[in-house]
Amino acid sequence: MPEPQQDARLAALAAFLQKAPALAGIRPIWVDNLPAQPFSAGLFPGGRQPVALRADLLGRRRMRWRETFALRLKLPHGRGSAPANAARLRSLAAWMAAESAAGKAPLFGNTDPGSETLAALAGSLETAGDIGTAVYCVTLRAEYTELYEGGQI
């Protein structure tokens, strides 16, 4: 069962992705589910890894986290669809990079928002069905910092 903070991060990320021009026509973005119909999307939790831990003289600790998510898209698959699907994935990655650089991506940490990043790392064909649809998977990565005080870690 996901932790409450992870649920909030998934919901914030799904709402953010709804604004992506590359995902126009794909509504809604489900959390932890991928419906069977074409032009649907599901956002799934990946994992969260600590990247760095720093402590200051006051006993506060800053943990840098890297968290991954999988965005699965059910898209048409057949003759001539591959270039359009690849263009959609590239467009999504470019949009996410621009939104993250502009500070418009959702914030996951509780300190140092200027150092947060959100990126679409890789997109690939995951499965192709024989009914004219395929599932593409895009790995999303968020890096953020959380501040812990008074022995919270």
Side-chain angles (χ1 to χ4, degrees), residues 95-147:
W95 179 82
M96 286 186 66
E99 294 293 291
S100 181
K104 296 179 182 178
L107 298 175
F108 293 162
N110 63 6
T111 189
D112 199 13
S115 73
E116 289 203 18
T117 60
L118 181 62
L121 299 181
S124 62
L125 177 65
E126 192 171 77
T127 60
D130 52 357
I131 58 169
T133 61
V135 175
Y136 288 81
C137 185
V138 181
T139 301
L140 309 177
R141 182 181 70 201
E143 290 198 15
Y144 56 93
T145 304
E146 290 184 333
L147 176 65

Side-chain angles (χ1 to χ4, degrees), residues 9-143:
R9 289 189 295 270
L10 281 165
L13 186 53
F16 170 71
L17 290 169
Q18 289 286 323
K19 301 173 192 172
L23 301 181
I26 298 176
R27 299 286 186 269
I29 294 177
W30 297 82
V31 174
D32 228 1
N33 184 29
L34 181 62
Q37 70 266 20
F39 295 105
S40 58
L43 181 63
F44 298 84
R48 186 166 98 140
Q49 299 175 290
V51 176
L53 174 64
R54 293 195 174 94
D56 66 18
L57 295 174
L58 299 175
R60 296 178 299 199
R61 297 176 183 270
R62 292 176 188 272
M63 178 73 76
R64 183 75 175 169
W65 292 100
R66 181 176 296 140
E67 188 165 3
T68 58
F69 305 89
L71 176 65
R72 290 187 170 86
L73 305 169
K74 184 158 283 205
L75 300 172
H77 181 70
R79 177 172 278 175
S81 65
N85 291 340
R88 183 187 294 265
L89 300 182
R90 283 191 307 272
S91 177
L92 176 63
W95 179 82
M96 286 186 66
E99 294 293 291
S100 181
K104 296 179 182 178
L107 298 175
F108 293 162
N110 63 6
T111 189
D112 199 13
S115 73
E116 289 203 18
T117 60
L118 181 62
L121 299 181
S124 62
L125 177 65
E126 192 171 77
T127 60
D130 52 357
I131 58 169
T133 61
V135 175
Y136 288 81
C137 185
V138 181
T139 301
L140 309 177
R141 182 181 70 201
E143 290 198 15

